[in-house]
Amino acid sequence: MTTERLLVSDAPVGRAMDGLGLIQYVGPLARVIVSEATETPFTVGIFGPWGSGKSSLLRMIAETLEADYPERTIRVDFNPWVYRNEPNMLLPLLHTLQDTLSDDRSQRFSQTVRRLGSVISTLTANIVLGKVSGGSVKLDDIKNAAEEYSKARGLVESEMRRLRSTLQAEADRLAESGVRLVILIDDLDRCEPDEIVDLLESMKLFFDLRNIFVVMAIAKDVVDRGVAVRYRDFGFTTEKVIEIGNEYLDKMIQLPLYLSTFNAPTIGAFIAGLNLPPDLAPHIELLQKIVYPNPRHIKRVVNLAIFTHAVARDAPGRQVPRLDLLLRLIVLRIQSPALYRASVARPDLLADLEAVYQDRLRPDDTDGFTRRHGTELAELAQEGVHQFYGLEPYFEDIFSESSFGEVTGELVDYITMLGG
Ligand SMILES: Nc1ncnc2c1ncn2[C@@H]1O[C@H](COP(=O)(O)OP(=O)(O)OP(=O)(O)O)[C@@H](O)[C@H]1O
Ligand SMILES: [Mg+2]
């Protein structure tokens, strides 16, 4: 088997590949979406940092709606990032909605498609004429109260009211025929911070309608950055910006789901599911303890481990490395590049840190460092330990049972395997 085939892909996964138990949210969420008892408008926010599984969860929701409720929902997948250069996000959203409805296999929505088409052409004309400027309108009026502007705003508002009532009528019609409109929005946070608030503003129109469900995946810190950019002239503190970001999203989102924390057993099972080569498999418990619990990050670590393992195995004449040490080095390289770089320059540092974490050397024991390294190098070695000891909680798990001291002479080889 080639190494390439063993490496793990970074694509979002669906239900069949769920290794993090995200599926537990999907059934209940789909039931909330189709339940007549759920009051709309209803917006679900899937919050999570970079690579935490937001797109995967969205995909699982989409699959479930399609498999279990094909007659009761119509799903619109919208990716604002694709349209980030459009002057007004409403148009691509309306176009996507129209395309989805006209693609319906049993042509259930042809009337709605037609009526939407007419709204879209009026809106397009008005945007071209500069009468509708998009989402920035509401926020801009903080600064701008000129008469001219009020006039323009009046036009925009009446245009928006018209659009809103048309959309509402269509959503109600769909609901009467037993179909709920579900809009799944992904990758909003890939847009530039200065665009995010405008984007949210221009889509808010949809979030306020009866019989429309929105599920939106988003990294909260990106919204905060957007808010910070938007209010930069006001000189708010970071805390204030986060608070404004929270309030902003709270108003929009009725059900927040957070993907930021996965517990240790979940992470262990996730790593086990990545099909490590058999001789790396016994080190899953170690890996689970030292790696940051983020799925994308774990996949990067695992890929580097699989690849380095293959490099080590194929190198002629080279001794098979101690895999537990190799894994520790890989994790350090990705999670603590400064310590990794310092260790490349002076591999003894790892053995020193390990001695300190294993209570065989005290960081302030100058004589101890002299005994280990001689008078000339002792100070440098002690400084290295001071720089990194206690810096990251996971160092405890890296070094409490490691044995870098036994292979100090070969560490250069290990580092070469990792590409220096
Ligand atoms: N439930 C899961 N089971 C297995 N792998 C998963 C799961 N969720 C996420 N992953 C993996 O983690 C990585 C990131 O997942 P995903 O793209 O869904 O995250 P994201 O939060 O949308 O990322 P981004 O911040 O880039 O939008 C991918 O490699 C994906 O395959
Ligand atoms: Mg994503």
Side-chain angles (χ1 to χ4, degrees):
M1 207 186 287
T2 63
T3 315
E4 288 75 11
R5 268 178 35 219
L6 284 171
L7 296 180
V8 286
S9 137
D10 189 43
V13 297
R15 299 191 297 182
M17 303 274 286
D18 179 23
L20 289 165
L22 293 183
I23 195 77
Q24 64 182 314
Y25 301 114
V26 176
L29 202 54
R31 286 197 294 280
V32 169
I33 291 176
V34 295
S35 163
E36 306 238 328
T38 307
E39 284 184 13
T40 49
F42 198 101
T43 301
V44 180
I46 299 177
F47 293 107
W50 170 89
S52 55
K54 302 180 291 296
S55 300
S56 300
L57 181 54
L58 273 185
R59 178 177 289 194
M60 292 178 211
I61 294 168
E63 285 174 354
T64 299
L65 293 179
E66 210 162 291
D68 299 349
Y69 306 103
E71 302 300 326
R72 291 169 67 185
T73 53
I74 176 100
R75 193 187 85 241
V76 180
D77 294 317
F78 186 60
N79 191 323
W81 188 70
V82 174
Y83 305 101
R84 64 195 176 284
N85 295 325
E86 296 281 330
N88 186 313
M89 198 48 64
L90 269 180
L91 268 185
L93 185 47
L94 287 169
H95 274 297
T96 312
L97 172 62
Q98 193 189 28
D99 289 349
T100 312
L101 293 172
S102 52
D103 283 351
D104 181 55
R105 254 178 264 142
S106 32
Q107 294 294 309
R108 287 172 291 172
F109 313 112
S110 46
Q111 296 293 326
T112 305
V113 172
R114 204 172 42 74
R115 281 188 288 262
L116 269 179
S118 131
V119 178
I120 290 172
S121 25
T122 321
L123 189 67
T124 311
N126 282 319
I127 286 174
V128 172
L129 292 174
K131 286 188 192 165
V132 178
S133 62
S136 54
V137 175
K138 284 219 174 59
L139 284 164
D140 277 353
D141 65 20
I142 294 169
K143 290 192 229 153
N144 210 336
E147 201 181 315
E148 180 93 351
Y149 180 77
S150 308
K151 236 192 284 163
R153 202 181 63 176
L155 268 178
V156 170
E157 282 184 354
S158 82
E159 194 63 38
M160 287 298 169
R161 263 200 304 277
R162 224 168 61 77
L163 172 63
R164 193 189 141 82
S165 67
T166 312
L167 283 174
Q168 185 60 78
E170 295 310 317
D172 289 347
R173 253 186 222 114
L174 291 178
E176 273 160 32
S177 62
V179 177
R180 263 213 174 144
L181 201 53
V182 185
I183 305 178
L184 304 187
I185 302 175
D186 199 5
D187 283 339
L188 193 64
D189 39 30
R190 275 218 233 164
C191 302
E192 294 300 316
D194 59 346
E195 298 165 345
I196 291 271
V197 177
D198 276 354
L199 284 178
L200 285 168
E201 285 290 307
S202 51
M203 292 186 313
K204 216 153 78 176
L205 178 74
F206 273 84
F207 305 171
D208 289 341
L209 297 177
R210 276 188 317 272
N211 294 316
I212 290 201
F213 241 93
V214 178
V215 186
M216 181 167 68
I218 193 157
K220 168 72 171 54
D221 58 325
V222 180
V223 176
D224 291 341
R225 279 208 295 282
V227 170
V229 171
R230 178 49 60 102
Y231 291 101
R232 66 185 153 230
D233 296 341
F234 294 71
F236 290 144
T237 60
T238 311
E239 288 77 38
K240 184 69 186 166
V241 164
I242 293 175
E243 195 187 311
I244 296 176
N246 286 342
E247 278 172 15
Y248 188 75
L249 288 173
D250 282 355
K251 274 192 218 129
M252 229 177 257
I253 282 161
Q254 282 74 52
L255 174 65
L257 290 177
Y258 299 96
L259 296 186
S260 44
T261 45
F262 294 107
N263 60 26
T266 306
I267 291 297
F270 176 68
I271 298 173
L274 294 178
N275 286 329
L276 289 166
D279 42 355
L280 281 175
H283 304 291
I284 288 176
E285 207 178 312
L286 167 70
L287 199 52
Q288 173 204 312
K289 278 198 278 187
I290 61 180
V291 78
Y292 290 147
N294 171 291
R296 171 168 301 134
H297 174 80
I298 292 174
K299 282 191 168 180
R300 292 179 67 211
V301 167
V302 164
N303 272 338
L304 189 55
I306 294 171
F307 188 73
T308 313
H309 176 251
V311 170
R313 216 189 28 207
D314 290 357
R318 188 182 278 159
Q319 250 192 342
V320 177
R322 295 267 305 268
L323 294 177
D324 65 306
L325 296 182
L326 196 60
L327 280 177
R328 286 176 166 94
L329 276 175
I330 287 170
V331 168
L332 285 177
R333 181 180 182 168
I334 295 185
Q335 295 180 185
S336 300
L339 172 55
Y340 183 79
R341 274 196 307 274
S343 313
V344 171
R346 213 178 58 80
D348 279 349
L349 173 60
L350 296 172
D352 286 344
L353 278 169
E354 149 183 300
V356 172
Y357 276 103
Q358 294 174 8
D359 292 330
R360 290 183 279 110
L361 175 69
R362 277 185 296 107
D364 55 0
D365 178 9
T366 308
D367 291 344
F369 281 93
T370 308
R371 276 195 300 279
R372 288 170 73 85
H373 300 288
T375 342
E376 255 178 52
L377 292 175
E379 196 178 334
L380 186 68
Q382 195 168 11
E383 262 172 30
V385 165
H386 276 164
Q387 192 182 346
F388 294 106
Y389 177 62
L391 198 62
E392 296 275 356
Y394 83 93
F395 287 174
E396 178 80 43
D397 289 312
I398 290 257
F399 292 112
S400 63
E401 288 175 19
S402 66
S403 49
F404 285 110
E406 289 171 19
V407 297
T408 312
E410 299 148 41
L411 270 176
V412 176
D413 272 353
Y414 281 68
I415 287 162
T416 314
M417 280 179 242
L418 276 171

